[in-house]
Amino acid sequence: MLRASFLYLSHRRILQRLVTRQRFTAALAYRFVAGDRLDDAVRVMKELNRRGWSGSLDHLGENVEQERTARAAVEDYVAALDRIAGEGLNANVSVKLTQLGLDISGDLCRELLSRVLQRAQQLNAFLRVDMEGSAYTERTIELVLDLHARYANVGTVLQSYLYRTMDDVRRLNAAGVRVRLVKGAYDEPASVAYPKKADVDRQFEAAMRELLTHGTYPAIATHDERLIEAARAFAGEQHIGNDRYEFQMLYGIRRDLQEGLVRAGYRVRIYVPYGTEWYPYLMRRLAERPANLLFFVRSLVRERRAA
Ligand SMILES: Cc1cc2nc3c(=O)[nH]c(=O)nc-3n(C[C@H](O)[C@H](O)[C@H](O)COP(=O)(O)OP(=O)(O)OC[C@H]3O[C@@H](n4cnc5c(N)ncnc54)[C@H](O)[C@@H]3O)c2cc1C
């Protein structure tokens, strides 16, 4: 119920304007977002690298309605790739197709994604296309498969809550496309996605096994300890070395798990969002765990009382 409410609010533009102006919600957002500027993200990434994690920079933005906003996103991503290369960071980038104009036109999006990929290729960098709501799934996979023939440095994401996902895993594995496996963060109807967590988790495990066995350097992206353990156990049984896959987690979530995995010798990449367009991202993080809001209010009250 709360999950659905936060996901519903994530699309409300009027609320976005109101909420992003509030100091309270901005403070909450910066638990999950590195800061407003690329400089902030670079600073965070340097620290993460120093402590043994790799990273992925996400310049926040999605569902853009203006062509010039989509074109500006290309410049932002090129700047991020240049900084990664210039500063020698152990990081790649994550991009949303609706940030590159997919809602405006497929051709525009293809042109803009190609431009970012070209720069990434010149710099020997990897670009991950994030997966958005199910209305975009097929178009995202088709575009990634198509561009992968020219840019081997592109990969994407599959969501275990979608019924279709095992077919997509096999399709992307066959093409040698790198996949990040997640549970899925959007509000989907029962006609396309499993409503029950147990089914989402079961399919996550099946997809994880298929990716570890037949995929190209898959990323197991979850904070679910049981699934992380299942991946470690399966990789161990199958003699799949720690250098053939990685775990991924979100900035600001389950730091204890992130640290434990690095200490145990696993590769862990942290997804680091930055920028001022954090509203929908924050709403999805609250939808995953509404208690985040409660914890935050409590800690704020405690701080105020102590002051
Ligand atoms: C690196 C990365 C990239 C992602 N990219 C995409 C993408 O492209 N498309 C997409 O749809 N989704 C993406 N997601 C989000 C994903 O779909 C899930 O919504 C999210 O990871 C929460 O699910 P979980 O696997 O952690 O499992 P859950 O069962 O939701 O959570 C397991 C445990 O993790 C902790 N946890 C999970 N979420 C939170 C939170 N918000 N705050 C605090 N604790 C939390 C809690 O301890 C919880 O018990 C990404 C996730 C990661 C880690």
Side-chain angles (χ1 to χ4, degrees):
M1 175 66 181
L2 268 171
R3 178 176 187 271
S5 312
F6 280 121
L7 291 177
Y8 171 80
L9 293 177
S10 72
H11 303 295
R12 306 274 76 82
R13 296 245 170 204
I14 296 177
L15 204 68
Q16 168 161 3
R17 278 193 286 275
L18 221 125
V19 166
T20 38
R21 278 196 221 119
Q22 307 301 318
R23 284 207 352 238
F24 167 76
T25 36
L28 177 56
Y30 293 120
R31 287 165 58 105
F32 304 106
V33 172
D36 285 349
R37 297 164 312 127
L38 176 57
D39 281 344
D40 300 318
V42 168
R43 189 175 25 78
V44 165
M45 192 58 71
K46 276 185 184 162
E47 179 59 14
L48 291 174
N49 285 173
R50 197 182 64 74
R51 303 187 60 174
W53 293 288
S54 60
S56 191
L57 288 183
D58 164 31
H59 185 248
L60 291 162
E62 54 198 88
N63 295 110
V64 308
E65 290 167 350
Q66 309 280 339
E67 184 171 332
R68 63 182 156 77
T69 317
R71 291 193 180 278
V74 172
E75 301 314 317
D76 291 328
Y77 271 103
V78 167
L81 286 163
D82 287 345
R83 281 294 287 281
I84 288 170
E87 309 236 7
L89 300 175
N90 184 359
N92 59 35
V93 293
S94 291
V95 181
K96 286 185 177 51
L97 292 188
T98 64
Q99 186 177 13
L100 299 182
L102 187 59
D103 288 337
I104 304 167
S105 114
D107 287 343
L108 173 70
C109 181
R110 185 194 170 82
E111 177 208 325
L112 300 186
L113 180 61
S114 303
R115 282 184 47 202
V116 186
L117 277 170
Q118 210 166 6
R119 186 68 186 139
Q121 197 175 53
Q122 286 164 356
L123 297 168
N124 207 14
F126 179 76
L127 180 151
R128 176 89 56 185
V129 177
D130 283 345
M131 191 57 81
E132 301 176 69
S134 59
Y136 303 105
T137 309
E138 185 55 30
R139 280 181 287 169
T140 302
I141 292 174
E142 276 174 14
L143 186 57
V144 167
L145 277 171
D146 189 24
L147 290 179
H148 186 260
R150 207 154 19 117
Y151 303 103
N153 58 330
V154 66
T156 190
V157 179
L158 293 177
Q159 300 150 323
S160 74
Y161 61 17
L162 294 184
Y163 302 135
R164 58 176 287 164
T165 287
M166 287 311 290
D167 289 338
D168 292 331
V169 165
R170 292 187 198 101
R171 207 168 149 202
L172 292 176
N173 280 354
V177 174
R178 275 166 65 170
V179 172
R180 172 201 295 150
L181 179 65
V182 301
K183 290 190 186 180
Y186 296 82
D187 196 18
E188 299 291 358
S191 54
V192 299
Y194 291 109
K196 289 197 185 122
K197 179 176 158 51
D199 294 319
V200 177
D201 290 358
R202 199 172 305 117
Q203 180 154 261
F204 190 101
E205 211 166 325
M208 172 269 284
R209 287 168 183 244
E210 189 73 19
L211 285 165
L212 284 173
T213 316
H214 301 294
T216 304
Y217 195 69
I220 312 302
T222 180
H223 315 88
D224 186 325
E225 283 185 73
R226 199 190 63 75
L227 290 174
I228 290 171
E229 279 314 309
R232 289 175 65 168
F234 182 74
E237 281 159 24
Q238 302 295 315
H239 307 291
I240 298 166
N242 296 359
D243 57 343
R244 286 183 40 209
Y245 67 100
E246 65 185 28
F247 289 105
Q248 293 190 358
M249 295 190 207
L250 300 176
Y251 176 71
I253 297 181
R254 292 302 307 261
R255 184 77 178 249
D256 55 332
L257 269 184
Q258 301 174 4
E259 278 169 359
L261 282 171
V262 165
R263 249 185 277 118
Y266 291 91
R267 292 185 175 182
V268 183
R269 188 178 299 278
I270 309 297
Y271 184 99
V272 178
Y274 67 97
T276 52
E277 297 293 309
W278 45 255
Y279 174 79
Y281 184 85
L282 174 64
M283 289 299 136
R284 288 196 290 275
R285 301 296 77 84
L286 293 177
E288 284 154 6
R289 198 159 177 266
N292 280 334
L293 190 58
L294 201 68
F295 276 130
F296 184 73
V297 174
R298 279 202 194 122
S299 63
L300 211 71
V301 170
R302 244 181 273 125
E303 272 170 32
R304 289 266 155 87
R305 281 199 186 132

